[in-house]
Amino acid sequence: MHIPATTLTQSIFCFAFCAAIVWFSGARLAYLVDDLADRFKMAKSLMGLLVLSLATSLPEVATTLSAAIQQSRDLVLNNLFGGIALQTAILAMSDFWARGAITNYPRKANHALEATLLVFLLSVALIIINLGETFVLWGVGLGSCLIALLYVAAIWLLRRYDASSDWVPVDLPDPDPLPFPAPSGLAESGNASLIWQSLAACAAILLFGLLIVVFAQRIADQSGLGTGFVGVTLLAAATSLPELTTSITAVRIGAYTMAISNIFGSNLIMLVLVFPADILFRAGPILQGTPPMVSLALSFGIAVTAIYLIGLIVRRKPKLGFVGLDSILVLLTFLASMAAYYYVR
């Protein structure tokens, strides 16, 4: 798809227009997935982990594979790993729309397990990067293969654990949804109509999400910012926009567990995308010889996920107003990561 050349001002305008379409589509998708979960009697945490996270990760999938085909290692890794801390910060921002700390709402240990597995996979990726992918098979590092296998095992464990109830929290907040109206006509639509609307929203997120990436890259080039810094900041922010709108919308309608699983699930997908990217990247193992910013992005991803893991375990956590202290700490850590990325760019 050829897109005509644009000036910096035109690129910014097109970026904002595409972002608005993605925002509307993501919000609509959150309503649809929430309604489908009720109709098919599926756990909203499972829908967030397997359906919503995959749908909102479509721009990252396309961007990552496209950058890998273009043999742009830095763009692939900075976009994937830089987006992890950003997407966790998105969950923290959605906490401002919740009634109390968002990590107080889960009634099962699913989300703590999601966070633990995410920290584990991030740590494995960091170890592999520091070892330098010493084992290579047909140009693909065994480290990226290991990450893919661990991802499959993690999803299997999470699905198996979803039916378990061996961890029961106490002093739970009111689970009733917020009095936020759903789109008119949604309740009258049939199941087939909701599924088709969901597919249309996914298509819009994919198409306009990719256009956002194109214009983000143009803004980066036309403004003179460095590729590595933009990959971690502007480009990661552009591809994370669907997670932002779906998470905020999910929280506003009271689907807290779906919002949390959406973010943790998206971050897990960011890690497993390393494997197909490694296959398409033919200059050697993609995790070999990475710049310092990649290890830094993984480290900050571990930090923000660990903060939320603590918040999920500690039920009586301090709050600042209506927002949990864990969300405030995640936002502060994310801001610190931006300063660190700029310092090592």
Side-chain angles (χ1 to χ4, degrees):
M1 180 175 58
H2 175 71
I3 301 175
T6 54
T7 64
L8 177 59
T9 302
Q10 291 171 334
S11 297
I12 294 174
F13 175 80
C14 293
F15 180 91
F17 174 78
C18 294
I21 299 296
V22 170
W23 183 276
F24 173 80
S25 302
R28 181 72 179 182
L29 183 62
Y31 286 121
L32 293 166
V33 172
D34 180 68
D35 198 283
L36 287 170
D38 291 336
R39 294 191 185 197
F40 290 102
K41 299 186 182 340
M42 295 184 66
K44 293 186 179 181
S45 60
L46 190 61
M47 290 291 282
L49 178 69
L50 300 180
V51 178
L52 199 59
S53 63
L54 179 59
T56 55
S57 296
L58 288 174
E60 282 98 337
V61 173
T63 303
T64 298
L65 300 184
S66 175
I69 292 173
Q70 298 170 13
Q71 308 302 300
S72 179
R73 184 207 308 265
D74 289 354
L75 192 58
V76 170
L77 298 182
N78 288 334
N79 179 40
L80 290 181
F81 299 151
I84 291 174
L86 173 60
Q87 290 180 166
T88 311
I90 285 172
L91 183 59
M93 286 186 281
S94 67
D95 202 344
F96 286 90
W97 281 267
R99 291 176 296 177
I102 194 172
T103 48
N104 275 344
Y105 284 91
R107 277 149 168 74
K108 297 166 66 176
N110 300 50
H111 300 90
L113 182 58
E114 290 169 7
T116 304
L117 291 171
L118 180 56
V119 168
F120 175 63
L121 263 70
L122 286 167
S123 302
V124 169
L126 191 58
I127 291 171
I128 292 168
I129 284 176
N130 281 280
L131 287 177
E133 279 279 35
T134 53
F135 301 101
V136 182
L137 184 63
W138 296 312
V140 178
L142 293 185
S144 62
C145 298
L146 176 62
I147 291 174
L149 291 174
L150 290 175
Y151 171 82
V152 173
I155 295 300
W156 175 84
L157 178 61
L158 288 168
R159 290 193 63 183
R160 184 181 180 87
Y161 192 80
D162 187 68
S164 174
S165 59
D166 57 351
W167 184 84
V168 181
V170 297
D171 297 328
L172 294 169
D174 185 5
D176 294 334
L178 295 176
F180 187 75
S184 59
L186 197 62
E188 291 78 16
S189 300
N191 293 342
S193 175
L194 293 185
I195 292 174
W196 279 111
Q197 289 182 57
S198 299
L199 292 175
C202 291
I205 289 173
L206 176 59
L207 175 60
F208 288 95
L210 289 176
L211 290 174
I212 283 178
V213 172
V214 171
F215 291 114
Q217 291 173 322
R218 289 189 181 182
I219 292 170
D221 296 335
Q222 293 165 344
S223 62
L225 294 172
T227 303
F229 179 69
V230 170
V232 169
T233 55
L234 181 60
L235 190 57
T239 54
S240 296
L241 188 61
E243 284 85 1
L244 175 62
T245 177
T246 52
S247 296
I248 290 177
T249 303
V251 168
R252 293 182 72 180
I253 61 178
Y256 302 109
T257 58
M258 189 168 71
I260 297 172
S261 289
N262 176 31
I263 296 301
F264 287 160
S266 295
N267 286 342
L268 286 169
I269 291 174
M270 293 302 95
L271 281 166
V272 76
L273 283 177
V274 170
F275 178 62
D278 201 357
I279 295 175
L280 296 172
F281 185 76
R282 303 317 303 155
I286 200 166
L287 294 179
Q288 190 176 68
T290 60
M293 192 175 291
V294 174
S295 296
L296 197 59
L298 285 170
S299 300
F300 275 109
I302 292 172
V304 292
T305 308
I307 291 172
Y308 265 137
L309 178 58
I310 295 170
L312 288 165
I313 295 173
V314 178
R315 309 301 297 182
R316 296 178 180 272
K317 64 183 69 64
K319 293 188 297 184
L320 294 178
F322 293 102
V323 183
L325 180 60
D326 48 3
S327 292
I328 298 297
L329 292 176
V330 165
L331 288 174
L332 292 175
T333 304
F334 172 70
L335 292 176
S337 73
M338 291 297 98
Y341 296 152
Y342 186 81
Y343 178 76
V344 302
R345 76 190 190 284

